[in-house]
Amino acid sequence: MRYRSATLALACSAALVLAACGDEDGEAAGNVVGEGSGDSCVIEDPVRIGAALSLTGGAASYGQSQQRGLQLALADLNEKDGVTYDLSIEDDQTDERQGITVFESFSGSNGVSAIIGPTLSNSAFQAQPIAQEEGVPVVAISNTASGITAQGDYIFRVSLTEQQVIPQTVEASIDAYGLENVVVLYSNDDAFTQSGYEVFAETLENSDVEVSDTLTFSKNDTDFRALLTQARNSDPDALIVSGLIEAAIPLVTQARELGIDVPIIGGNGFNNPALIDQGGDAAEGVVVGAAWNSASDNPLNTAFLEEFSEEFGSNPDQFAAQAYAGLMVIDEAVRAGCSGERDAIKEALAGVSDFPTVLGDITINADRDTDHEAVVQVVRDGAFAVLD
Amino acid sequence: MATQQLLNGIFIGSIYALFAIGFTLVFGILDRLNLAHPAVFAASAFVGIELVDRTGMSIWFALPLVALLGAVLGLVIERVAFRPLKNRADAHFAGLIASIALGGVIIALLQWRYGADTRRFPAGSFPEGTVQVAGAQVTIVQILILVISLVLMVGLTWMVGKSRLGRAMRAIAENATAARVLGINADRITAITFAISSALGAVAGALFAMNVNSAQLTMGTAIELKGLAVIIVGGMGSLVGALIGGLILGIAEVFTVQFVGSSWRDLIAFALLFAILLIRPQGLLGKKKTREV
């Protein structure tokens, strides 16, 4: 008896060692290698996906929107034959440390096949190295900072960067309004508005537009009248602003009060329905580039809009659309290799090309970023319309 | 353009002044620094917005209610953070720390009630329109803010200087024990002083939220340092000094933007504070080694 239990213990520890070896190869749980390819792919066990979203804290409004987008995508995917998904959404509380914890639990043994998120670039920079180390593919769905995908070859992104959107925004505005002379304002105590400003500045430098003044503010400022009065002095054809939504609303309102009626061109921070809801008439003439055209008549998009409002009783925003597209891209990669193993997904993600999504046709480029066309919007009659 | 900037400075400066006067009133009379004052500033902005949003009442009816809320908060601050500690040898510091803690509690309650997002008055809450003053664009709301601030400040100065309550306050400021011997209810006067101070801070908060049409949980922290700078520039405890100090700070900020550069704004404002401390340590209207209301 004694001898037998010792053997059993030995066998168990051998099994544990083997299991540990398996972990080092970065394998996810379950039998997730299937047969077939694309639509014909059949995988026996559900493929597990983890999402780290900011469901509470400062970025909660974005994270909750993403959660809805993912839930909708999950429901749609699980209706299709062949592959099913098991999605676990965890809250990073808009806290970088919590983001690391969530990534650790996703990456560990019995972890997931791929990770979506986190919501904010700040958290992404801290958490992604853990997934890279463990060999878990990550798909970023909302991060716009540069350098996100440079952290490793397992990191992919379906959201457009500021570097991709801003030049298109500026060029479209120059064409539409014949800009000759602009004033640039940006908050210089925030990493993202600062990097947004740098892209604006570089784009303007390469154009014929003259920048007659560059003014800075703090991300906590709410009174912009002194700055705007100064901006008004040079009689610009447009204001170009890199700021977060908290600054955007009072800035736009006060600009209109001071009689500045020219277009106001914003960075990603302006891409928020709150600008129209709370800015009211003052928001008219605000130009902002976006990764998702809510008015697109792409059939995937119209179906998405309809399903989303039916399910949640409200219209989706860009965060929901990008989250939806993110899970669809993972499905495309899983089916392409017909495998839910981490390395297979990573290989297949790199090969995603001209894949139709609600955002448009997505191609993952050599930097593991996404190439798809941005849409330049202008606020007209209380809604975002395509600038032409 | 200079007129426009001057007016911008006066409007923002008058709000700084109203905030700082509440600060300096408690400091001048009671020798206590109430660091829960910024939390009252933020609380009144959020509650003011909710009143207008929920009941659809005019902002001009909401303002007195906000002042009342401020007064109640002032009584609570006095009762919770200052009165239990008043007989300690280190009552000044103990009260200061306790008021920081109470301010933190108030902000946490606000976050629980309203969340972390920026809140705004619903569209159409204010009279719309702008008027031209010497070639500068001024909104009607800004003019009303200036008028309300000035009326409150002049009223307070008169009350402290001339009324019976003001005389009692000054008696306590001079010598609390002697005042008590003369039959003044020191606890009551102290509580009233806190109530008035916080009511002014509350009105300042609501006016600030109207001026920029936004209220954030951090709005009190942002103005706190400026308020301290204003009462130091004006002279600790001097009401007129706080008014002048507020206007100087507001105007200094806008002219820094105009003539030096927007990045230098806070640097110039606080360098001004330093300069005044070096040249005139008691502040512009402060008196050396005396307490004044």
Side-chain angles (χ1 to χ4, degrees):
Chain A
M1 216 35 201
R2 203 181 186 141
Y3 178 67
R4 261 164 105 190
S5 53
T7 318
L8 200 64
L10 198 67
C12 286
S13 41
L16 279 174
V17 170
L18 283 176
C21 290
D23 277 350
E24 272 175 27
D25 290 340
E27 278 329 313
N31 179 15
V32 288
V33 183
E35 282 179 10
S37 170
D39 286 342
S40 70
C41 168
V42 176
I43 297 177
E44 192 182 328
D45 285 348
V47 177
R48 298 178 56 201
I49 309 287
L53 306 177
S54 303
L55 300 177
T56 57
S61 63
Y62 307 138
Q64 287 165 5
S65 192
Q66 293 177 320
Q67 184 181 25
R68 292 173 160 192
L70 288 179
Q71 284 167 346
L72 200 59
L74 180 72
D76 286 356
L77 288 175
N78 283 345
E79 272 178 18
K80 279 175 72 178
D81 292 334
V83 188
T84 55
Y85 292 90
D86 182 357
L87 175 70
S88 55
I89 298 176
E90 295 290 336
D91 181 13
D92 74 8
Q93 298 166 3
T94 322
D95 178 352
E96 290 151 26
R97 285 160 301 181
Q98 186 62 25
I100 291 173
T101 311
V102 172
F103 263 59
E104 276 171 346
S105 76
F106 283 154
S107 307
S109 56
N110 279 329
V112 299
S113 297
I115 302 178
I116 288 175
T119 303
L120 296 186
S121 299
N122 280 335
S123 303
F125 281 121
Q126 304 294 324
Q128 286 177 170
I130 294 159
Q132 172 68 27
E133 180 86 0
E134 297 286 334
V136 190
V138 175
V139 174
I141 51 173
S142 53
N143 306 327
T144 57
S146 58
I148 290 282
T149 52
Q151 279 196 322
D153 58 351
Y154 282 85
I155 317 294
F156 298 83
R157 156 154 70 186
V158 298
S159 44
L160 291 183
T161 62
E162 294 266 62
Q163 279 78 0
Q164 291 170 303
V165 176
I166 285 175
Q168 297 188 44
T169 313
V170 172
E171 280 153 24
S173 306
I174 293 174
D175 285 348
Y177 299 109
L179 305 179
E180 287 175 1
N181 145 40
V182 297
V183 170
V184 179
L185 301 102
Y186 72 103
S187 77
N188 61 350
D189 56 352
D190 180 273
F192 298 102
T193 56
Q194 170 87 33
S195 84
Y197 158 73
E198 280 158 15
V199 184
F200 270 125
E202 197 187 323
T203 314
L204 288 167
E205 210 166 282
N206 297 331
S207 72
D208 295 331
V209 180
E210 188 197 342
V211 178
S212 45
D213 209 347
T214 300
L215 302 166
T216 61
F217 55 90
S218 153
K219 62 180 168 187
N220 295 321
D221 277 355
T222 44
D223 189 327
F224 299 98
R225 294 190 175 91
L227 289 177
L228 291 165
T229 305
Q230 175 70 8
R232 201 176 62 176
N233 286 351
S234 46
D235 197 14
D237 298 328
L239 300 183
I240 290 187
V241 185
S242 179
L244 301 173
I245 186 67
E246 279 75 22
I249 294 167
L251 191 149
V252 167
T253 317
Q254 291 163 22
R256 300 310 188 212
E257 277 173 15
L258 285 167
I260 301 175
D261 291 325
V262 296
I264 299 177
I265 299 158
N268 200 31
F270 278 54
N271 185 17
N272 191 322
L275 185 72
I276 298 174
D277 295 345
Q278 302 182 5
D281 286 347
E284 294 288 310
V286 169
V287 177
V288 58
W292 176 56
N293 178 6
S294 57
S296 157
D297 54 7
N298 166 1
L300 279 172
N301 190 53
T302 47
F304 168 68
L305 286 172
E306 198 174 310
E307 262 185 86
F308 192 97
S309 57
E310 198 172 297
E311 183 76 25
F312 302 110
S314 65
N315 285 324
D317 60 9
Q318 180 179 310
F319 287 92
Q322 286 177 324
Y324 186 88
L327 196 54
M328 291 297 170
V329 167
I330 290 179
D331 176 61
E332 168 76 1
V334 168
R335 286 175 182 273
C338 201
S339 165
E341 290 191 317
R342 291 169 174 176
D343 281 331
I345 294 179
K346 175 210 161 201
E347 296 300 328
L349 277 172
V352 169
S353 163
D354 288 329
F355 172 59
T357 70
V358 292
L359 305 173
D361 288 354
I362 280 185
T363 298
I364 303 285
N365 64 23
D367 296 327
R368 295 175 303 283
D369 278 329
T370 287
D371 283 331
H372 72 82
E373 209 178 325
V375 52
V376 180
Q377 302 168 302
V378 59
V379 179
R380 201 177 284 150
D381 301 327
F384 281 119
V386 177
L387 179 70
D388 43 27
Chain B
M1 278 314 138
T3 327
Q4 179 81 56
Q5 289 293 35
L6 186 66
L7 285 171
N8 289 337
I10 289 174
F11 291 129
I12 193 69
S14 65
I15 295 176
Y16 290 163
L18 194 59
F19 176 81
I21 276 181
F23 241 156
T24 209
L25 182 69
V26 167
F27 188 85
I29 293 176
L30 306 167
D31 202 19
R32 297 280 183 274
L33 203 49
N34 170 19
L35 291 182
H37 202 59
V40 174
F41 182 79
S44 65
F46 279 89
V47 172
I49 288 174
E50 184 173 13
L51 281 176
V52 173
D53 200 14
R54 282 259 176 119
T55 66
M57 71 169 69
S58 152
I59 181 74
W60 313 114
F61 285 115
L63 271 184
L65 292 178
V66 162
L68 192 67
L69 166 90
V72 172
L73 280 176
L75 293 175
V76 171
I77 290 166
E78 194 269 337
R79 186 54 76 100
V80 174
F82 288 93
R83 193 177 293 187
L85 303 168
K86 70 172 181 174
N87 292 325
R88 287 171 57 137
D90 57 354
H92 186 101
F93 282 113
L96 188 143
I97 307 281
S99 68
I100 293 178
L102 188 56
V105 170
I106 294 174
I107 294 294
L109 287 174
L110 284 180
Q111 183 164 5
W112 166 71
R113 178 91 178 82
Y114 298 105
D117 288 345
T118 303
R119 312 269 297 197
R120 279 164 237 285
F121 287 102
S125 306
F126 317 127
E128 302 234 342
T130 55
V131 284
Q132 296 273 340
V133 177
Q137 296 269 357
V138 177
T139 63
I140 294 167
V141 173
Q142 284 179 306
I143 295 175
L144 291 168
I145 287 171
L146 184 63
V147 170
I148 292 172
S149 305
L150 288 177
V151 166
L152 285 175
M153 287 186 274
V154 170
L156 182 73
T157 313
W158 172 84
M159 193 208 74
V160 169
K162 304 278 195 249
S163 76
R164 192 180 167 79
L165 178 65
R167 281 202 296 276
M169 285 177 173
R170 282 181 296 142
I172 290 176
E174 204 58 47
N175 187 329
T177 318
R180 217 169 275 129
V181 169
L182 290 171
I184 293 172
N185 183 341
D187 278 349
R188 196 174 136 257
I189 300 294
T190 303
I192 291 175
T193 310
F194 267 96
I196 294 174
S197 154
S198 292
L200 292 175
V203 173
L207 292 180
F208 185 86
M210 287 167 63
N211 188 36
V212 296
N213 196 12
S214 71
Q216 289 157 304
L217 290 174
T218 53
M219 63 189 282
T221 341
I223 202 173
E224 181 176 17
L225 282 177
K226 287 176 180 163
L228 285 170
V230 165
I231 62 178
I232 289 168
V233 167
M236 287 288 225
S238 165
L239 297 184
V240 180
L243 171 59
I244 294 173
L247 293 177
I248 288 179
L249 186 67
I251 293 168
E253 283 188 357
V254 297
F255 281 105
T256 308
V257 170
Q258 175 93 16
F259 296 114
V260 187
S262 46
S263 309
W264 297 90
R265 186 177 46 178
D266 282 355
L267 190 141
I268 299 281
F270 288 106
L272 182 79
L273 167 69
F274 249 124
I276 294 209
L277 279 176
L278 289 176
I279 299 163
R280 210 179 143 77
Q282 72 274 35
L284 294 176
L285 296 180
K287 288 180 189 146
K288 270 185 184 163
K289 295 201 177 180
T290 55
R291 289 198 202 126
E292 194 194 351
V293 177

